Amino acid sequence: MAIDEKAVAALEDRTLGPEHKGLPPAAWGRTVRQFLDSEPALDGFETPVLTIDRSAVASNIAVLADWAAASGVRLAPHGKTTMSPQLWARQLAAGSWGLTFATIWQVQVARSFGVGRIMLANALVDPVGLRWVAAESAQDPAFEFVCWVDSVETVALMDEHLRGEPGAARIRVIVELGGPHGRTGARTVDQAHAIAAAVGQSDRLILAGVGGYEGALAHDRSPEALAAVRRYLDEVARLHRELATAGAYSGDAIVTAGGSAYPDLVVERLADLADEQGAQGVPTTVILRSGAYIIHDDGFYAGISPLAAPRSERPLRSAMHGWARTVSRPEPELALLDAGKRDLPFDEGLPVPQNLEGTVSALNDQHAFLRLPGATAADLPVGTVVRLGLSHPCTAFDKWRLIPVIDDADAECPRVVDLLHTFF
């Protein structure tokens, strides 16, 4: 599915400046292309800095693309993880069905780069956003957009907001099934049927499928968590079969689930529904929306993903690292680093030092507390750079407007081979 490659390539013509954290002042006033032509090395950047490993990203894209294809499902990666058009282009080039987003603003950013097929994994009741979708769809009939609905009230509100858009294309919607104590989504299959019926009565909406997010119902791979996710996915499958049997779909159908924690269970429970030729009555595409896989991590996803080492023979690899400098040794077993909450993710686990024995015990806005049991000041002098393993790419990327891509995080002096623009 398309993205405007010229718009993505034009990012290399952007001018660098002091708003780009971590870049050396020598880069200011130069374009990205000009700066990269100078073959910069990471040790020429200021700390703190977040980096992305080129080979790990390439490997991760290939791993999930191949795994999804072998499993019989399509992939619509969640673009909110990186908000980086350069990475979206690589995911689409690897065969992704489309891209997923969480807010209408994110959708609009994607459209500004020509993304042609988008799933908004959320309800869209913002009147300005709805009118924009209607106008965008009318202007470009090739644009494929689908969003979610999880209540009869949502359907009524969408109808109301779209009433003043005569001639606009009808918006395709997916009935979202949730679960007890989960996030959004109808709480029962019966409620989901009522929503589907309301969509069927609408002259502005079309029922496109069913879906939801199983990651809201569990947070580990304990037997209880896996059982809860399986029960939920079985209900999603049941809802789709019942709607198909009832003739609720007017055309092709989508069944979608899957964050980056339980894609194996989505395949186990839903892949059999895939029937894109319609041999079972309704052409059905099963879509996985995993987003974090492209970067993976050394924390939460490393511990829960079925595609992480040692659970997979072809594992995902962490592609992100933080680099921070020791700025103070006020106590023998304590070092303060120059990276904090403004620079590194902390919501799914604190950073972990990778080239020394120690533990990060806390983050302030701009400092990390590195505990070094049994160490002395001579073991980690002021000025020493520490590489950090990180957890949760979604809350790493949003702290950086520009992220250097390096050739090899394990190299003695990594080379910077690209700069990723983010749009948060």
Side-chain angles (χ1 to χ4, degrees):
M1 183 47 65
I3 190 169
D4 186 340
E5 295 182 1
K6 289 184 178 180
V8 175
L11 293 172
E12 291 191 357
D13 297 322
R14 288 193 163 198
T15 301
L16 303 173
E19 68 272 21
H20 297 121
K21 182 169 57 174
L23 262 66
W28 301 349
R30 304 164 78 179
T31 66
V32 170
R33 182 180 290 106
Q34 290 170 337
F35 179 60
L36 292 176
D37 284 345
S38 70
E39 299 184 351
L42 185 61
D43 63 7
F45 281 58
E46 298 174 343
T47 55
V49 65
L50 176 75
T51 64
I52 300 303
D53 191 295
R54 175 175 60 182
S55 63
V57 167
S59 175
N60 292 344
I61 290 174
V63 165
L64 203 67
D66 293 348
W67 183 83
S71 301
V73 301
R74 299 294 190 98
L75 185 61
H78 216 316
K80 73 174 177 61
T81 297
T82 66
M83 287 304 292
S84 174
Q86 293 149 283
L87 294 180
W88 298 342
R90 296 186 63 178
Q91 291 170 304
L92 290 167
S96 292
W97 174 90
L99 294 174
T100 301
F101 294 94
T103 71
I104 189 60
W105 169 76
Q106 293 170 0
V107 171
Q108 291 162 344
V109 171
R111 277 300 286 167
S112 74
F113 284 90
V115 177
R117 182 185 281 154
I118 294 174
M119 180 185 300
L120 174 60
N122 214 336
L124 178 55
V125 293
D126 180 279
V128 176
L130 274 168
R131 288 193 288 270
W132 175 84
V133 169
E136 190 74 7
S137 299
Q139 177 181 328
D140 181 5
F143 174 41
E144 297 182 40
F145 174 84
V146 60
C147 66
W148 294 9
V149 290
D150 74 346
S151 71
V152 172
E153 291 77 13
T154 297
V155 173
L157 194 57
M158 292 181 74
D159 275 344
E160 178 183 339
H161 291 325
L162 291 168
R163 199 167 295 141
E165 303 297 321
R170 296 168 74 183
I171 293 178
R172 300 171 70 227
V173 296
I174 287 173
V175 173
E176 180 191 2
L177 184 66
H181 313 296
R183 200 164 64 185
T184 52
R187 288 306 194 244
T188 69
V189 170
D190 286 345
Q191 290 174 358
H193 275 288
I195 298 165
V199 172
Q201 295 297 313
S202 169
D203 59 0
R204 304 315 310 264
L205 308 178
I206 297 174
L207 183 63
V210 301
Y213 176 52
E214 74 289 343
L217 305 178
H219 208 67
D220 56 41
R221 295 192 75 86
S222 66
E224 296 79 12
L226 299 182
V229 170
R230 286 188 172 102
R231 285 194 299 270
Y232 166 73
L233 295 171
D234 287 345
E235 290 292 89
V236 172
R238 171 191 161 198
L239 175 61
H240 169 67
R241 290 191 180 101
E242 290 178 357
L243 290 173
T245 299
Y249 299 121
S250 58
D252 297 359
I254 290 170
V255 177
T256 179
S260 295
Y262 306 106
D264 54 329
L265 302 189
V266 174
V267 167
E268 175 190 302
R269 283 345 220 209
L270 300 182
D272 285 348
L273 300 175
D275 177 21
E276 297 189 10
Q277 304 306 313
Q280 304 302 316
V282 177
T284 300
T285 302
V286 175
I287 299 174
L288 187 68
R289 305 188 312 276
S290 305
Y293 77 92
I294 187 172
I295 303 300
H296 197 51
D297 69 10
D298 284 308
F300 175 70
Y301 288 111
I304 199 170
S305 171
L307 299 177
R311 291 179 289 276
S312 173
E313 294 182 359
R314 190 185 177 195
L316 299 173
R317 297 159 46 195
S318 180
M320 65 177 180
H321 297 91
W323 306 78
R325 196 177 305 272
T326 307
V327 294
S328 178
R329 291 300 313 273
E331 301 171 11
E333 298 185 350
L334 174 64
L336 276 299
L337 309 180
D338 62 356
K341 293 179 180 178
R342 301 287 181 89
D343 313 300
L344 305 175
F346 57 92
D347 58 313
E348 291 287 1
L350 293 172
V352 177
Q354 295 188 319
N355 53 1
L356 54 83
E357 294 294 329
T359 303
V360 173
S361 62
L363 294 181
N364 288 163
D365 283 355
Q366 304 291 177
H367 291 95
F369 289 73
L370 177 58
R371 305 292 174 177
L372 300 162
T376 67
D379 295 325
L380 189 69
V382 169
T384 305
V385 173
V386 178
R387 191 180 89 180
L388 299 165
L390 306 175
S391 179
H392 201 193
C394 295
T395 51
F397 269 63
D398 66 351
K399 295 171 175 56
W400 298 84
R401 295 181 181 181
L402 202 64
I403 304 174
V405 179
I406 55 178
D407 56 354
D408 183 359
D410 292 323
E412 183 175 348
C413 184
R415 309 296 300 183
V416 175
V417 295
D418 202 357
L419 296 172
L420 294 179
H421 294 260
T422 68
F423 291 80
F424 284 98

